[in-house]
Coordinates of all heavy atoms in Angstrom, one line a residue:
S165 N 65.1 -21.5 -11.0 CA 65.3 -22.6 -10.2 C 64.9 -23.9 -10.9 O 64.2 -23.8 -11.9 CB 64.6 -22.6 -8.9 OG 63.2 -22.6 -9.1
H166 N 65.2 -25.2 -10.4 CA 64.7 -26.4 -11.0 C 63.2 -26.5 -11.1 O 62.6 -26.7 -12.2 CB 65.2 -27.6 -10.4 CG 64.8 -28.8 -10.9 ND1 65.3 -29.4 -12.1 CD2 63.9 -29.8 -10.5 CE1 64.6 -30.5 -12.4 NE2 63.9 -30.8 -11.3
R167 N 62.5 -26.0 -10.1 CA 61.1 -26.1 -10.0 C 60.4 -25.1 -11.0 O 59.5 -25.3 -11.7 CB 60.7 -25.8 -8.5 CG 59.1 -25.9 -8.5 CD 58.7 -25.7 -7.0 NE 57.4 -26.0 -6.8 CZ 56.7 -25.9 -5.6 NH1 57.5 -25.7 -4.5 NH2 55.4 -26.0 -5.5
E168 N 61.1 -23.8 -11.0 CA 60.6 -22.8 -12.0 C 60.8 -23.3 -13.4 O 60.0 -22.9 -14.3 CB 61.5 -21.5 -11.7 CG 61.0 -20.8 -10.4 CD 62.0 -19.7 -10.1 OE1 63.1 -19.6 -10.7 OE2 61.5 -18.7 -9.2
R169 N 61.9 -24.0 -13.7 CA 62.2 -24.4 -15.0 C 61.2 -25.4 -15.5 O 60.8 -25.4 -16.6 CB 63.6 -25.0 -15.0 CG 64.1 -25.6 -16.4 CD 64.3 -24.5 -17.5 NE 64.6 -25.1 -18.7 CZ 64.8 -24.4 -19.8 NH1 64.7 -23.1 -19.9 NH2 65.1 -24.9 -20.9
E170 N 60.8 -26.4 -14.6 CA 59.8 -27.3 -14.9 C 58.5 -26.7 -15.2 O 57.7 -27.1 -16.2 CB 59.7 -28.2 -13.7 CG 60.8 -29.3 -13.6 CD 60.4 -30.3 -12.5 OE1 59.7 -30.0 -11.6 OE2 61.0 -31.4 -12.5
K171 N 58.1 -25.7 -14.3 CA 56.9 -25.0 -14.7 C 56.9 -24.2 -16.1 O 56.0 -24.2 -16.8 CB 56.6 -24.0 -13.6 CG 55.2 -23.4 -13.5 CD 54.9 -22.6 -12.3 CE 53.4 -22.2 -12.3 NZ 53.1 -21.5 -11.1
F172 N 58.0 -23.6 -16.2 CA 58.3 -22.8 -17.5 C 58.1 -23.7 -18.7 O 57.3 -23.5 -19.6 CB 59.6 -22.3 -17.5 CG 60.0 -21.6 -18.9 CD1 59.7 -20.3 -19.1 CD2 60.8 -22.3 -19.8 CE1 60.1 -19.6 -20.3 CE2 61.1 -21.6 -21.0 CZ 60.7 -20.3 -21.3
V173 N 58.7 -25.0 -18.7 CA 58.5 -26.0 -19.8 C 57.1 -26.4 -20.0 O 56.6 -26.5 -21.0 CB 59.5 -27.2 -19.5 CG1 59.2 -28.3 -20.6 CG2 60.9 -26.8 -19.6
D174 N 56.4 -26.7 -18.9 CA 54.9 -27.1 -18.9 C 54.1 -26.0 -19.6 O 53.3 -26.3 -20.4 CB 54.3 -27.4 -17.6 CG 55.0 -28.7 -17.0 OD1 55.5 -29.5 -17.8 OD2 55.0 -28.9 -15.7
I175 N 54.4 -24.8 -19.2 CA 53.6 -23.6 -19.8 C 54.0 -23.5 -21.3 O 53.0 -23.4 -22.1 CB 54.0 -22.4 -19.1 CG1 53.5 -22.2 -17.7 CG2 53.5 -21.2 -20.0 CD1 54.0 -21.1 -16.9
M176 N 55.2 -23.7 -21.7 CA 55.6 -23.7 -23.1 C 54.9 -24.7 -23.9 O 54.4 -24.4 -24.9 CB 57.0 -23.6 -23.1 CG 57.8 -22.5 -22.7 SD 57.3 -20.9 -23.4 CE 58.1 -21.0 -25.0
R177 N 55.0 -25.9 -23.5 CA 54.4 -27.0 -24.1 C 52.8 -26.8 -24.2 O 52.3 -27.0 -25.4 CB 54.5 -28.3 -23.3 CG 56.0 -28.9 -23.5 CD 56.2 -30.0 -22.6 NE 57.4 -30.6 -22.6 CZ 58.0 -31.6 -21.8 NH1 57.3 -32.0 -20.9 NH2 59.1 -32.2 -22.0
Q178 N 52.1 -26.5 -23.2 CA 50.7 -26.4 -23.4 C 50.2 -25.2 -24.1 O 49.5 -25.2 -25.0 CB 50.1 -26.3 -22.0 CG 48.5 -26.4 -22.0 CD 47.9 -27.5 -22.7 OE1 48.3 -28.7 -22.3 NE2 47.0 -27.3 -23.6
D179 N 50.7 -24.0 -23.8 CA 50.3 -22.8 -24.5 C 50.7 -22.9 -26.1 O 50.0 -22.2 -26.7 CB 51.1 -21.6 -23.8 CG 50.3 -21.3 -22.6 OD1 49.6 -22.2 -22.0 OD2 50.4 -20.2 -21.9
I180 N 51.9 -23.4 -26.3 CA 52.2 -23.5 -27.8 C 51.3 -24.3 -28.5 O 50.8 -24.0 -29.7 CB 53.7 -24.0 -27.9 CG1 54.7 -23.0 -27.5 CG2 53.9 -24.4 -29.4 CD1 56.2 -23.4 -27.4
L181 N 50.8 -25.4 -27.8 CA 49.9 -26.3 -28.5 C 48.6 -25.5 -28.9 O 47.9 -25.7 -29.9 CB 49.6 -27.6 -27.8 CG 50.5 -28.8 -28.1 CD1 50.1 -30.0 -27.2 CD2 50.3 -29.1 -29.6
D182 N 48.0 -24.8 -27.8 CA 46.9 -24.1 -27.9 C 47.0 -23.1 -29.0 O 46.0 -22.9 -29.7 CB 46.6 -23.3 -26.5 CG 46.2 -24.2 -25.4 OD1 45.8 -25.4 -25.7 OD2 46.4 -23.8 -24.2
V183 N 48.0 -22.4 -29.1 CA 48.2 -21.5 -30.3 C 48.3 -22.3 -31.7 O 47.5 -21.6 -32.6 CB 49.4 -20.6 -30.0 CG1 49.6 -19.6 -31.3 CG2 49.3 -19.6 -28.8
L184 N 49.0 -23.2 -31.6 CA 49.2 -24.0 -33.0 C 47.7 -24.5 -33.4 O 47.6 -24.8 -34.5 CB 50.1 -25.1 -32.8 CG 51.6 -24.5 -32.8 CD1 52.6 -25.7 -32.5 CD2 52.0 -23.8 -33.9
E185 N 46.9 -24.9 -32.5 CA 45.7 -25.4 -32.9 C 44.8 -24.4 -33.6 O 44.0 -24.7 -34.5 CB 44.8 -26.0 -31.7 CG 45.3 -27.2 -31.1 CD 44.6 -27.6 -29.9 OE1 43.6 -27.0 -29.6 OE2 44.9 -28.7 -29.2
Y186 N 45.2 -23.1 -33.3 CA 44.3 -22.0 -33.9 C 45.0 -21.7 -35.2 O 44.4 -21.5 -36.3 CB 44.4 -20.9 -33.0 CG 43.6 -19.6 -33.5 CD1 42.2 -19.5 -33.2 CD2 44.1 -18.7 -34.5 CE1 41.4 -18.5 -33.7 CE2 43.2 -17.6 -35.0 CZ 41.9 -17.6 -34.6 OH 41.3 -16.5 -35.1
E187 N 46.4 -21.6 -35.3 CA 47.0 -21.2 -36.5 C 48.5 -21.9 -36.3 O 49.2 -21.6 -35.4 CB 47.2 -19.7 -36.7 CG 47.8 -19.3 -38.0 CD 47.7 -17.8 -38.3 OE1 46.7 -17.2 -37.7 OE2 48.4 -17.3 -39.2
A188 N 48.8 -22.4 -37.4 CA 50.2 -23.1 -37.3 C 51.4 -22.1 -37.7 O 52.0 -22.2 -38.8 CB 50.2 -24.3 -38.4
F189 N 51.8 -21.4 -36.7 CA 52.9 -20.4 -36.9 C 54.2 -21.3 -37.0 O 54.5 -22.1 -36.1 CB 53.1 -19.5 -35.7 CG 51.8 -18.6 -35.7 CD1 50.9 -18.8 -34.7 CD2 51.7 -17.4 -36.5 CE1 49.7 -17.9 -34.6 CE2 50.6 -16.6 -36.4 CZ 49.7 -16.8 -35.5
D190 N 55.0 -21.1 -37.9 CA 56.3 -21.8 -38.2 C 57.2 -21.5 -37.1 O 58.0 -22.5 -36.7 CB 56.9 -21.3 -39.6 CG 56.2 -21.9 -40.7 OD1 55.4 -22.8 -40.6 OD2 56.3 -21.3 -41.8
E191 N 57.2 -20.2 -36.5 CA 58.1 -19.9 -35.4 C 57.8 -20.8 -34.3 O 58.8 -21.3 -33.4 CB 58.0 -18.4 -35.0 CG 58.1 -17.5 -36.2 CD 56.7 -17.0 -36.5 OE1 56.0 -17.8 -37.1 OE2 56.3 -15.9 -36.3
L192 N 56.6 -21.0 -34.0 CA 56.2 -21.8 -32.8 C 56.4 -23.4 -33.0 O 56.8 -24.0 -32.0 CB 54.7 -21.6 -32.4 CG 54.3 -20.2 -31.9 CD1 53.0 -20.2 -31.3 CD2 55.3 -19.8 -30.7
K193 N 56.4 -23.7 -34.1 CA 56.7 -25.1 -34.5 C 58.1 -25.5 -34.1 O 58.4 -26.5 -33.5 CB 56.5 -25.4 -35.9 CG 55.1 -25.5 -36.4 CD 55.0 -25.9 -38.0 CE 53.6 -25.6 -38.4 NZ 53.5 -25.9 -40.0
D194 N 58.9 -24.5 -34.4 CA 60.5 -24.8 -34.1 C 60.6 -24.9 -32.5 O 61.3 -25.6 -31.9 CB 61.3 -23.7 -34.6 CG 61.4 -23.7 -36.1 OD1 61.1 -24.8 -36.6 OD2 61.6 -22.7 -36.8
I195 N 59.9 -23.9 -31.8 CA 60.0 -23.9 -30.3 C 59.3 -25.1 -29.7 O 59.8 -25.8 -28.7 CB 59.4 -22.6 -29.8 CG1 60.0 -21.3 -30.3 CG2 59.3 -22.7 -28.3 CD1 59.4 -20.0 -29.8
F196 N 58.3 -25.7 -30.4 CA 57.6 -26.9 -30.0 C 58.5 -28.1 -30.0 O 58.7 -28.8 -29.0 CB 56.3 -27.1 -30.8 CG 55.7 -28.4 -30.4 CD1 54.6 -28.5 -29.6 CD2 56.1 -29.7 -31.0 CE1 53.9 -29.6 -29.2 CE2 55.4 -30.9 -30.7 CZ 54.4 -30.8 -29.9
D197 N 59.4 -28.0 -31.0 CA 60.3 -29.2 -31.2 C 61.4 -29.1 -30.0 O 61.9 -30.2 -29.6 CB 61.0 -29.0 -32.5 CG 60.2 -29.3 -33.7 OD1 59.0 -29.8 -33.4 OD2 60.5 -29.0 -34.9
K198 N 61.6 -28.0 -29.6 CA 62.8 -27.8 -28.5 C 62.2 -28.3 -27.2 O 62.9 -28.9 -26.4 CB 63.1 -26.3 -28.3 CG 64.1 -26.0 -27.3 CD 64.2 -24.6 -27.0 CE 64.6 -23.7 -28.3 NZ 64.8 -22.2 -27.9
Y199 N 60.8 -28.2 -26.8 CA 60.4 -28.5 -25.5 C 59.7 -29.9 -25.5 O 59.2 -30.3 -24.5 CB 59.5 -27.5 -25.0 CG 60.2 -26.1 -24.8 CD1 60.1 -25.0 -25.7 CD2 60.9 -25.9 -23.7 CE1 60.7 -23.9 -25.5 CE2 61.7 -24.8 -23.3 CZ 61.5 -23.8 -24.3 OH 62.2 -22.6 -24.2
N200 N 59.7 -30.7 -26.7 CA 59.0 -31.8 -26.6 C 59.9 -33.0 -27.2 O 60.9 -32.7 -27.8 CB 57.6 -31.8 -27.5 CG 56.5 -30.8 -26.9 OD1 55.8 -31.4 -26.2 ND2 56.6 -29.7 -27.2
R201 N 59.5 -34.2 -26.8 CA 60.4 -35.3 -27.3 C 60.2 -35.7 -28.7 O 61.1 -36.3 -29.4 CB 60.0 -36.5 -26.5 CG 60.4 -36.3 -24.9 CD 59.8 -37.5 -24.1 NE 60.1 -37.3 -22.7 CZ 59.7 -38.2 -21.8 NH1 59.0 -39.3 -22.1 NH2 60.0 -37.9 -20.5
V202 N 58.9 -35.2 -29.3 CA 58.8 -35.4 -30.7 C 58.7 -34.0 -31.4 O 58.3 -33.1 -30.8 CB 57.6 -36.3 -31.1 CG1 57.8 -37.7 -30.4 CG2 56.4 -35.6 -30.5
N203 N 59.1 -34.0 -32.8 CA 58.8 -32.7 -33.4 C 57.3 -32.5 -33.7 O 56.6 -33.5 -33.7 CB 59.7 -32.5 -34.7 CG 59.3 -33.6 -35.6 OD1 58.2 -33.9 -35.9 ND2 60.5 -34.1 -36.2
Y204 N 56.9 -31.3 -34.2 CA 55.6 -31.0 -34.4 C 54.9 -31.9 -35.4 O 53.9 -32.3 -35.4 CB 55.4 -29.5 -34.7 CG 53.9 -29.1 -34.9 CD1 53.1 -29.0 -33.7 CD2 53.5 -28.7 -36.1 CE1 51.9 -28.6 -33.8 CE2 52.1 -28.3 -36.2 CZ 51.4 -28.3 -35.0 OH 50.0 -27.9 -35.2
A205 N 55.6 -32.2 -36.5 CA 55.1 -33.0 -37.6 C 54.7 -34.4 -37.0 O 53.8 -35.0 -37.5 CB 56.1 -33.0 -38.8
E206 N 55.7 -35.0 -36.2 CA 55.5 -36.2 -35.7 C 54.3 -36.2 -34.7 O 53.5 -37.2 -34.7 CB 56.8 -36.7 -35.0 CG 57.8 -37.0 -36.0 CD 59.2 -37.3 -35.2 OE1 59.3 -36.9 -34.0 OE2 60.0 -37.9 -35.7
Y207 N 54.2 -35.2 -33.9 CA 53.1 -35.1 -33.0 C 51.7 -35.1 -33.7 O 50.8 -35.8 -33.4 CB 53.3 -33.7 -32.1 CG 52.0 -33.5 -31.3 CD1 51.9 -34.0 -30.0 CD2 51.1 -32.6 -31.8 CE1 50.7 -33.7 -29.2 CE2 50.0 -32.3 -31.0 CZ 49.8 -33.0 -29.6 OH 48.7 -32.7 -29.0
I208 N 51.7 -34.3 -34.8 CA 50.4 -34.3 -35.6 C 50.1 -35.5 -36.2 O 49.0 -36.1 -36.2 CB 50.5 -33.0 -36.6 CG1 50.5 -31.8 -36.0 CG2 49.2 -33.3 -37.6 CD1 49.4 -31.4 -35.2
A209 N 51.1 -36.3 -36.7 CA 50.8 -37.6 -37.3 C 50.5 -38.6 -36.3 O 49.5 -39.4 -36.5 CB 52.2 -38.0 -37.9
D210 N 51.1 -38.6 -35.1 CA 50.6 -39.4 -34.0 C 49.2 -39.1 -33.6 O 48.3 -40.1 -33.4 CB 51.5 -39.2 -32.8 CG 53.0 -39.8 -33.0 OD1 53.1 -40.7 -34.1 OD2 53.8 -39.5 -32.3
A211 N 48.8 -37.8 -33.4 CA 47.5 -37.5 -33.0 C 46.5 -37.9 -34.0 O 45.4 -38.5 -33.6 CB 47.5 -35.9 -32.8
E212 N 46.8 -37.7 -35.4 CA 45.8 -38.1 -36.4 C 45.7 -39.7 -36.4 O 44.6 -40.2 -36.5 CB 46.3 -37.6 -37.7 CG 46.2 -36.1 -37.8 CD 46.8 -35.6 -39.2 OE1 47.5 -36.5 -40.0 OE2 46.5 -34.5 -39.6

């Protein structure tokens, strides 16, 4: 459902970041790009 989809995306965004902070898995970087408005490289550059 629309509500379930929103929750799914929120989970993916947060949990992927938590894992990438521990280790930068390339597979998750690609998924991160799918669920966020910026790609992972841009996100890291903005955070820095």
